[in-house]
Structures are given as C-alpha cells and as structure tokens.
C-alpha cells in the first residue's frame, strides 16, 4: 500500500476525529471525551481501563464497559469500510508461476516450439522468460559439451600420433642395431628356455640328479670385438627327440638304442619309453657313471616300455656296436674325435654283418663330409615333424639310415 500509516494508527486517527461529537460548547482539546479516550486506550493496549489514571481526563466520568464494547465494534466496522474504499496504488505485480505446458525441444538450429492446450504453436524468443532462459542454458550446455568433445578428440589424436611416432622410431632403432643374426640368436634362446622350463619340467622332476642349468650364450672375442653367440649344449629336448624318433618303425622290439654320451641319462630314459629290446648309455668317468646309474635306478619303471636299461663305462670297457638292428644317438656333447672312431667301428661292423642301422645326430652338420657316411642315406622326417623341428627346435637334427641298394665292399669282392 502507498499509505505509510498502519492499521492501528488509522483506527487511532478515526477515534480522535470523533472526539468533537462528544464535546460541550468548547473546543475538542479543552474537554476530551472520556469514551473516545477509553476507546483509544483499548485499541492501543488491548485492555479495558479500570481507573481514571489511565485516561487523559482524570476528572471525567468513566464510561461503562458495555458502551465501550459497542463503540469499539462500531469503530472497527467503520475502519474496515474505509480501508476497502481507499484507492489502491499500483505496484509491481506479484510473480506467478507459469502454467504447466508441454514443451518440445528442437535441435539447436530451430526455434523452441511450445504446445499449449488450445493447440496453438508459440515461439518464445524472449530471454527474460523462464523458457527462454532454459533454452539459452540448454544451448550453452550443448556448446560446452561439443567443445569438450572436440578437445578430447584432438588430444586423443595427438597422443595416437605421438605413440605411433615413438613406436616407429623405436622399431627403426632396434632394426638398425639388431642384425638378422641377433634376431636368430634371441629366437633360439627363447625356444630353448621354453623347452627346458615348460615341456621338460615333468621329466626333470623324475630325475634324481638334475640336469645342469641351461646356458644358451657363449661370449667370444673375434675380429669385430666381443660377440655373443647361441650355443646349446644339450641334452636334446623331449619334444625334439620325439619328432626325430617319429621316422622310426613302430615295432622296435628287435632294435637296440645306444647313447654314446648319456650324461645324467635323460635322453636315454626318454628313448626307453619306446619298446626297444634294450637301451644302453655310455659314461667316460667314474663320477659320470655313478650319476647315470643313480638316475637309472631311481627312475619310475612304470614310465618305461623298455625294461632293459644299461649304464656302460666307455673309458674302461671301450665302445661296443650292437650286432642287431640299432638306433645310434650322437649327442652334441660328443667330441668330434669320438665321432670318427665310432663311425669307423660301425663301418667295419657293417662290412662284416650288414643290417639296419639308424643314426640320429643332435646339432647336425658335423657328420657331413666324412668318408664313413657314404654307407648311409639321409631320411627326411614326416612333414609335420619336419615343420615343428624347423620352427621350434633349438638345434638342427638329422636322421640317417643304412643304404639298402648298396652292398658292402666285402660282398662285392
């Protein structure tokens, strides 16, 4: 309201205005009306006066309570009517909540369309309205999200280009530093370690005297400085031995197996899992022979198909070539001088008694060019075994068999 008087002040004002109606031939201020004074006291304090001291005129008679009550009601009705008839000064209209209507949000390029109950389309362009501010806020959120997404894409693209560039630089540096020989050396070392620690783990657990730790690198000093080379000193892995023996006939009951340097007997025991008539391994010192005999004695017989497994002393008893069909194994640890001696004995034995002899060379290549090898022919492995050997064998393996179309020299004479 524009009037600065409160309701209580307005009632008091009206009460003072009626004081002149009760005056007696004098001004209103000279003789105040006791009833008007009592009404004013009632309006201000909210209680009826009980003594004359509460009024402005102590000598005036005090009106009765009933008269005060009736007059008070009349004054209140008069004040209410005047309040109703008082002019109303227009001020800022009160804010009201907008009606609930259905809103359809269009893409950012279009306008904001509103659907009202009377099916009239309304386009709000004003930013001051509630829906206009909501539209601006939504558009701001969309723009901010698009900017963040674009920034994330640019950052991811930058990281991707950086990672590819680093990988390419690293690969180029490695390719420049590592020659083909280095790649081959690392591949063979990895294959050898996989055979020893994965495929041969169970075999090693069954041995009383374990195989020495695997050493696959040998450092030597040459013309170009210090060089590292791959060297595999055996024993032959179980998988590789199985691939080499796959070319043999299935029935080996009439064949003997001989390992000319058995070591701790691991290759000998693996071969004894096939049905040979007997299997023998040579040792060339007292300690090596004791280790070989210990492993042969402690190995579980339930794993062996060949029941006759022997340990022989080569340095004391010499080498014996079996007089029956045999499979002779030449390990990588066997010196080249021993190979010449064994092949000489073998050639003399074949001239006396021709028979089927199979030769298996670990780390093949040392047998080539020898005169005694003219009595034997190379036997290729089955295709699957050949591929496996070429890919997953740490050492090359070669298998030979006595020639059937060439008679010994003693028969030709």
């Amino acid at each position: 309201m524009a009037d600065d008087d409160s309701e209580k002040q307005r009632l008091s004002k009206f009460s003072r205005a009626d004081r002149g109606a009760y005056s007696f031939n004098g001004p209103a201020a000279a003789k105040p009306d006791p009833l008007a004074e009592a009404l004013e006291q009632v309006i201000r304090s909210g209680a009826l006066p009980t003594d004359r001291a509460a009024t402005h005129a102590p000598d005036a008679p005090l009106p009765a309570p009933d008269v005060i009550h009736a007059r008070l009601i009349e004054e209140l009705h008069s004040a209410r009517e005047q309040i109703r008839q008082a002019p109303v000064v227009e001020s800022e209209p009160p804010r009201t909540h907008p009606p609930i209507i259905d809103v359809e949000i269009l893409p950012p390029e279009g306008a904001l369309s509103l659907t009202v109950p009377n099916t009239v389309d309304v386009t709000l362009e004003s930013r001051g309205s509630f829906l206009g501010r909501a539209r601006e806020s939504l558009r701001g959120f969309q723009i901010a999200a698009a900017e963040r997404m674009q920034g994330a894409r640019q950052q991811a693209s930058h990281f991707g280009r950086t990672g590819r560039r680093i990988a390419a630089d690293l690969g180029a540096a490695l390719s420049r530093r590592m020659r083909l020989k280095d790649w081959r050396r690392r591949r063979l070392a990895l294959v050898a370690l996989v055979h020893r620690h994965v495929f041969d783990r169970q075999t090693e657990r069954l041995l009383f005297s374990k195989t020495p730790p695997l050493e696959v690198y040998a450092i030597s000093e040459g013309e170009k400085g210090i060089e590292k080379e791959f060297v595999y000193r055996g024993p032959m892995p179980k998988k590789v031995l199985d691939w080499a023996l796959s070319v043999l006939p299935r029935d080996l009951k009439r064949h003997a197996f001989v390992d000319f340097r058995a070591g701790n007997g691991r290759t000998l025991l693996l071969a004894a899992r096939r049905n040979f008539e007997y299997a023998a391994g040579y040792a060339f010192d007292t300690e090596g022979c004791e280790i070989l005999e210990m492993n042969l004695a402690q190995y579980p017989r339930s794993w062996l198909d060949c029941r006759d497994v022997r340990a022989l002393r080569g340095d004391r008893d010499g080498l014996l070539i079996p007089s029956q069909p045999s499979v002779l194994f030449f390990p990588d640890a066997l010196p080249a001088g021993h190979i010449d001696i064994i092949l000489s004995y073998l050639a003399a034995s074949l001239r006396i008694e021709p028979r089927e002899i199979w030769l298996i060379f670990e780390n093949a290549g040392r047998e080539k060019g020898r005169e005694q090898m003219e009595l034997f022919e190379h036997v290729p492995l089955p295709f699957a075994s050949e591929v496996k050997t070429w890919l997953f064998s740490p050492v090359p393996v070669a298998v030979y068999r006595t020639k059937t179309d060439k008679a010994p020299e003693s028969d030709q004479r």
Side-chain angles (χ1 to χ4, degrees):
M1 300 297 289
D3 194 358
D4 56 352
D5 293 338
S6 63
E7 184 178 356
K8 183 179 294 186
Q9 293 174 348
R10 193 177 296 115
L11 292 176
S12 177
K13 179 179 178 181
F14 295 150
S15 300
R16 294 191 187 97
D18 293 338
R19 292 179 183 177
Y22 299 94
S23 60
F24 295 92
N25 299 325
K31 293 182 180 180
D33 187 4
L35 181 57
E37 295 291 341
L39 288 175
E40 183 179 0
Q41 182 67 22
V42 170
I43 292 172
R44 291 183 179 276
S45 62
L48 293 175
T50 55
D51 53 0
R52 297 183 180 273
T55 63
H56 295 282
D59 298 336
L62 184 64
D66 295 339
V67 177
I68 295 175
H69 186 270
R71 185 62 178 175
L72 178 60
I73 293 176
E74 184 179 354
E75 291 289 341
L76 292 176
H77 281 287
S78 176
R80 185 176 62 182
E81 292 297 332
Q82 293 182 13
I83 292 172
R84 288 179 178 179
Q85 295 176 3
V88 179
V89 179
E90 294 184 0
S91 61
E92 182 180 359
R95 296 182 179 179
T96 58
H97 294 285
I100 299 176
I101 55 179
D102 297 332
V103 180
E104 181 181 3
I105 300 177
L106 297 178
E109 291 78 8
L112 188 61
S113 176
L114 304 178
T115 303
V116 294
N118 58 356
T119 67
V120 178
D121 295 337
V122 181
T123 302
L124 297 179
E125 298 293 344
S126 176
R127 295 186 179 181
S129 64
F130 174 76
L131 293 179
R133 291 193 300 272
R135 178 177 176 275
E136 292 297 331
S137 300
L138 180 59
R139 188 175 182 83
F141 291 155
Q142 292 177 349
I143 294 174
E147 292 177 352
R148 288 195 296 269
M149 182 63 68
Q150 184 66 20
R153 289 176 180 174
Q154 293 177 357
Q155 189 174 10
S157 177
H158 173 70
F159 287 158
R161 291 194 301 269
T162 304
R164 288 193 296 269
R165 185 171 62 255
I166 293 174
D169 296 342
L170 182 60
L174 290 177
S175 63
R176 288 194 300 268
R177 293 181 57 186
M178 295 182 62
R179 299 167 296 176
L180 181 61
K181 182 179 180 181
D182 298 332
W183 285 105
R184 179 178 178 274
R185 182 186 69 231
R186 285 172 170 78
R187 185 186 70 84
L188 293 176
L190 178 62
V191 169
L193 292 174
V194 169
H195 278 288
R196 172 61 63 88
H197 299 288
V198 178
F199 299 111
D200 295 339
R201 179 185 298 180
Q202 186 178 11
T203 303
E204 290 293 333
R205 290 177 179 177
L206 297 176
L207 296 177
F208 181 79
S209 178
K210 308 299 180 183
T211 306
L214 183 63
E215 296 181 2
V216 295
Y217 290 129
I219 300 176
S220 61
E221 185 175 358
E223 298 179 356
K224 298 181 180 180
I226 299 177
E227 295 183 357
K228 182 186 293 186
E229 296 181 356
F230 173 78
V231 177
Y232 187 82
R233 297 183 175 88
M236 178 180 285
K238 174 182 179 300
K239 291 289 185 181
V240 180
L241 181 62
D242 292 340
W243 298 334
L245 295 178
S246 63
V247 73
L248 300 179
R250 292 188 177 181
D251 188 8
L252 299 172
K253 292 182 180 180
R254 296 177 57 250
H255 289 71
F257 180 86
V258 180
D259 185 352
F260 288 105
R261 196 174 187 88
N264 64 345
R266 199 184 82 165
T267 304
L268 177 64
L269 291 171
L270 290 175
R273 293 185 179 185
R274 298 177 179 264
N275 59 341
F276 290 103
E277 182 178 352
Y278 75 91
Y282 280 93
F284 294 92
D285 54 20
T286 304
E287 183 180 359
C289 187
E290 292 177 354
I291 293 175
L292 178 59
E293 292 176 349
M294 183 68 68
N295 280 339
L296 296 182
Q298 297 293 331
Y299 199 82
R301 288 294 181 265
S302 59
W303 289 80
L304 303 178
D305 290 339
C306 177
R307 298 299 181 180
D308 188 1
V309 184
R310 310 171 185 175
L312 305 178
R313 185 78 178 268
D315 59 336
R316 184 182 59 189
D317 302 331
L319 297 176
L320 176 65
I321 305 298
S323 60
Q324 63 188 76
S326 306
V327 178
L328 308 181
F329 179 69
F330 295 82
D332 181 64
L334 189 66
H338 289 190
I339 295 178
D340 291 333
I341 296 174
I342 295 171
L343 290 179
S344 298
Y345 287 168
L346 182 59
S349 178
L350 286 175
R351 292 187 182 97
I352 298 174
E353 184 179 358
R355 58 192 181 277
E356 184 183 35
I357 300 293
W358 296 81
L359 307 180
I360 300 177
F361 286 90
E362 181 186 12
N363 196 7
R366 298 178 299 166
E367 75 284 357
K368 295 181 179 180
R370 300 180 185 273
E371 182 180 359
Q372 299 87 347
M373 294 301 298
E374 295 180 356
L375 302 175
F376 301 91
E377 61 181 356
H378 182 265
V379 180
L381 301 179
F383 179 75
S385 300
E386 186 72 27
V387 173
K388 293 177 183 178
T389 304
W390 183 73
L391 292 176
F392 305 113
S393 176
V395 291
V397 180
V399 180
Y400 295 86
R401 184 180 58 186
T402 52
K403 294 180 179 180
T404 56
D405 57 346
K406 184 176 180 181
E409 296 180 0
S410 59
D411 295 342
Q412 291 179 358
R413 294 175 184 175

